[in-house]
Structure formats: structure tokens, C-alpha cells
Amino acid sequence: QVQLVESGGGLVQAGGSLRLSCAASGRTFSRYAMGWFRQAPGKEREFVATISWSGGNTYYADSVKGRFTISRDNAKNTVYLQMNSLKPEDTAVYYCAADPGLGISVYADRYDYWGQGTQVTVSS
């Protein structure tokens, strides 16, 4: 079992930055690939970024590539999402998720554990 708690969301102006954190419980955190997803009002949940268990492999949605950076600190059981050059269309609830499988995935159904989400609002 892994429990995930996101933090760091808030209101920011377009062009600004935020860093989201996702703290995980459990001693097996380092065995999981981790991902960030987001869901805007009236839209389906979408993939944002993922990172392998070691941190050596990452992958991003085209919409955030070059602006967002995913990282992890296995000693702190935490995964981060640094978000720069934010746009109004980045407004959403952001969720972190844990995937026990090998490798990384953009598919939400590969992820077994989810946090409650943190709201990010970008004003124009």
C-alpha cells in the first residue's frame, strides 16, 4: 500500500512558477514509477509527466515539455513537479500517482495509487 499526499498548488499569474510535491508513505516508494496527471473542469484526466523508480527515465506530455520538470527524492519518499512559464490552460487539479509496474507509462490505468489532488490556477 502507498498513500500519496500532494501539496504546493495555488494561484499564480501566467508566466509564473509553482513546485508541486507528492509525499508518499511506505518503505517501497523507490520501487514505483511515479506520474503526474491533471484534470481541468469539464475535461478528462490527462497525463502530464512520469519518472522511473530510479529517476533515470522521464517522459512528458507535449503540452508541458520544456516547461515542467519531474524529479524524485527516494530518500524523502517524495516526487516533485516543477512548473515554469505557466499558462491559463495549465489550470487544473493535479494528481500524483504510483505505478508498481516496470518502466514508465502515460496511461492512468497503469497506476494503482492516487493522491487527492492539489488545485493549480493560472490567471491571465
Side-chain angles (χ1 to χ4, degrees):
Q1 282 281 353
V2 176
Q3 292 185 324
L4 304 172
V5 179
E6 302 96 336
S7 62
L11 174 64
V12 64
Q13 288 189 331
S17 298
L18 283 174
R19 188 176 81 155
L20 305 183
S21 299
C22 174
S25 65
R27 289 181 283 181
T28 59
F29 170 77
S30 62
R31 299 180 186 177
Y32 291 85
M34 298 296 295
W36 285 97
F37 291 76
R38 67 186 181 185
Q39 188 166 18
K43 295 188 177 181
E44 293 187 354
R45 189 171 298 190
E46 66 173 358
F47 166 77
V48 175
T50 183
I51 187 167
S52 60
W53 66 271
S54 67
N57 194 11
T58 59
Y59 188 77
Y60 299 90
D62 287 344
S63 59
V64 307
K65 201 172 296 182
R67 300 187 298 122
F68 291 11
T69 302
I70 189 171
S71 62
R72 67 189 296 161
D73 185 337
N74 286 343
K76 295 183 177 179
N77 280 12
T78 302
V79 63
Y80 305 97
L81 186 68
Q82 177 67 43
M83 305 186 295
N84 299 328
S85 302
L86 282 161
K87 304 175 181 180
E89 51 264 43
D90 294 318
T91 295
V93 177
Y94 283 71
Y95 300 89
C96 71
D99 172 13
L102 297 175
I104 55 176
S105 177
V106 304
Y107 300 107
D109 60 6
R110 274 277 302 270
Y111 292 80
D112 285 358
Y113 304 103
W114 293 81
Q116 292 300 306
T118 185
Q119 176 71 47
V120 171
T121 303
V122 184
S123 64
S124 58

